[in-house]
């Protein structure tokens, strides 16, 4: 029975791609917190989301890790290193060494530390060439999890989120349905009974023509890819002026989810 949960990470854990009615994001961690809170007496559950989009592993360790360690919750989810792996020239072996030091610090104070792997990017145009690098890092994450007894939220093996309908229009972040399926899988990882199957098949779609696919790709490149490259060239991050969501009420999360459902 988990009474307190702290989410640590980057845009994935912040919930980018899953907007609420006020423009702020919900995301899998918030949805997962609701699943956990529903198993506790009313008012007997604490949840804090420290994640901020665009953050690298060292930034997460510096800004979020001390707060998570201080709170010493029953559960911490730790998703970090993905933005490092996407950067040219980074060594997944070296990133994994820093990842392990963070896990060692968390497991010394938290009841359970759940780690996440990276996605399988074979269907993502800009990132599919990094698939081998991501797989290498995932191998390290699983090995670290084995050494420290951490449950693993394996996003690589979650087949349902490989469907394009699981993703936001930017093709880099999950949409609301994708985040929902990850939250359900997180519940399964901890042995909870969840209200739906995260691998539930998607409805069949009619085939798409070459011209339609090409038109979508051009629009995506103009709207998302060019600005993303521009930020990289300028050394900017999408999270430079973003503040973590902090303490959240599961009841408020439910209301925000219901209002956009």
């Amino acid at each position: 029975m988990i009474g307190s949960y702290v989410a640590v990470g980057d845009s994935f854990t912040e919930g980018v791609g899953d907007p609420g009615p006020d423009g702020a994001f919900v995301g899998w961690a918030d949805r997962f917190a609701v699943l956990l809170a529903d198993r506790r007496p009313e008012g007997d559950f604490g949840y804090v989301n420290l994640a901020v989009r665009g953050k690298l592993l060292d930034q997460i360790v510096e800004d979020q890790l001390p707060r998570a360690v201080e709170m010493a919750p029953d559960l911490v989810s730790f998703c970090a290193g993905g933005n490092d792996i996407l950067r040219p020239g980074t060594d997944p072996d070296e990133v994994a060494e820093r990842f392990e030091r963070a896990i060692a610090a968390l497991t010394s104070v938290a009841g359970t530390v759940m780690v996440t792997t990276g996605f399988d990017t074979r269907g993502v145009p800009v990132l599919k060439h990094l698939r081998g690098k991501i797989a290498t890092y995932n191998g390290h994450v699983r090995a670290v999890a084995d050494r420290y007894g951490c449950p693993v939220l394996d996003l690589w093996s979650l087949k349902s989120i490989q469907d394009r309908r699981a993703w936001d229009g930017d093709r880099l972040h999950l949409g609301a349905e994708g985040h929902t399926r990850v939250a359900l899988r997180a519940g399964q990882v901890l042995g909870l009974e969840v209200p739906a199957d995260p691998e539930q098949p998607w409805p069949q779609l009619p085939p798409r023509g070459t011209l339609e696919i090409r038109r979508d790709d051009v629009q995506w490149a103009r709207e998302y890819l060019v600005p993303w490259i521009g930020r990289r060239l300028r050394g900017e991050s999408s999270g430079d002026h973003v503040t973590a969501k902090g303490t959240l009420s599961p009841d408020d999360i439910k209301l925000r989810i219901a209002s956009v459902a």
Side-chain angles (χ1 to χ4, degrees):
M1 296 293 290
I2 295 168
S4 55
Y5 167 37
V6 175
V8 175
D10 51 29
S11 60
F12 170 61
T13 302
E14 184 187 347
V16 174
D18 182 11
D22 53 0
F25 296 109
V26 184
W28 76 271
D30 292 8
R31 294 172 180 272
F32 176 49
V34 170
L35 291 178
L36 295 172
D38 283 346
R39 287 156 175 79
R40 301 284 298 188
E42 186 174 354
D44 189 27
F45 181 80
Y47 170 54
V48 180
N49 190 321
L50 301 176
V52 175
R53 70 198 77 167
K55 296 303 182 183
L56 300 170
L57 174 59
D58 286 348
Q59 294 171 318
I60 291 171
V61 168
E62 179 179 357
D63 298 336
Q64 301 176 34
L65 194 69
R67 296 174 65 187
V69 168
E70 182 180 3
M71 287 183 275
D74 295 337
L75 173 68
V76 174
S77 62
F78 188 80
C79 180
N83 288 324
D84 299 73
I85 298 302
L86 297 182
R87 300 215 165 189
T90 53
D91 179 359
D93 300 336
E94 188 275 331
V95 176
E97 291 177 2
R98 291 185 278 126
F99 178 90
E100 181 163 4
R101 289 196 289 271
I103 295 302
L106 285 172
T107 54
S108 67
V109 296
T112 300
V113 178
M114 181 171 64
V115 300
T116 65
T117 70
F119 299 100
D120 186 348
T121 58
R122 59 182 165 181
V124 184
V126 180
L127 304 179
K128 61 184 178 182
H129 70 286
L130 295 173
R131 192 174 184 234
K133 191 175 178 183
I134 295 169
T136 298
Y137 186 62
N138 285 350
H140 284 300
V141 168
R142 295 186 187 97
V144 170
D146 284 345
R147 286 194 286 274
Y148 291 86
C150 301
V152 178
L153 177 54
D154 189 352
L155 304 175
W156 185 282
S157 68
L158 186 54
K159 300 300 183 184
S160 64
I161 59 172
Q162 293 174 8
D163 188 289
R164 62 185 174 87
R165 286 168 288 182
W167 294 80
D168 186 40
D170 67 1
R171 303 186 186 180
L172 295 173
H173 299 98
L174 293 175
E177 180 64 22
H179 277 285
T180 298
R181 290 175 183 249
V182 170
L184 293 169
R185 174 53 61 87
Q188 290 179 335
V189 168
L190 293 189
L192 306 181
E193 290 187 14
V194 295
D197 180 7
E199 292 284 26
Q200 181 177 352
W202 294 83
Q204 288 292 327
L205 282 177
R208 303 171 73 217
T210 302
L211 182 61
E212 181 184 2
I213 294 173
R214 186 175 301 168
R215 184 177 62 246
D216 288 348
D217 288 345
V218 170
Q219 181 179 350
W220 166 77
R222 184 184 301 115
E223 187 173 353
Y224 297 106
L225 179 59
V226 172
W228 184 74
I229 293 174
R231 287 197 301 271
R232 292 294 178 270
L233 294 176
R234 295 189 297 271
E236 298 175 355
S237 168
S238 57
D240 284 345
H241 305 290
V242 175
T243 302
K245 290 185 280 190
T247 302
L248 297 172
S249 161
D251 287 337
D252 289 343
I253 296 171
K254 288 181 183 179
L255 290 175
R256 295 178 70 228
I257 293 172
S259 66
V260 295

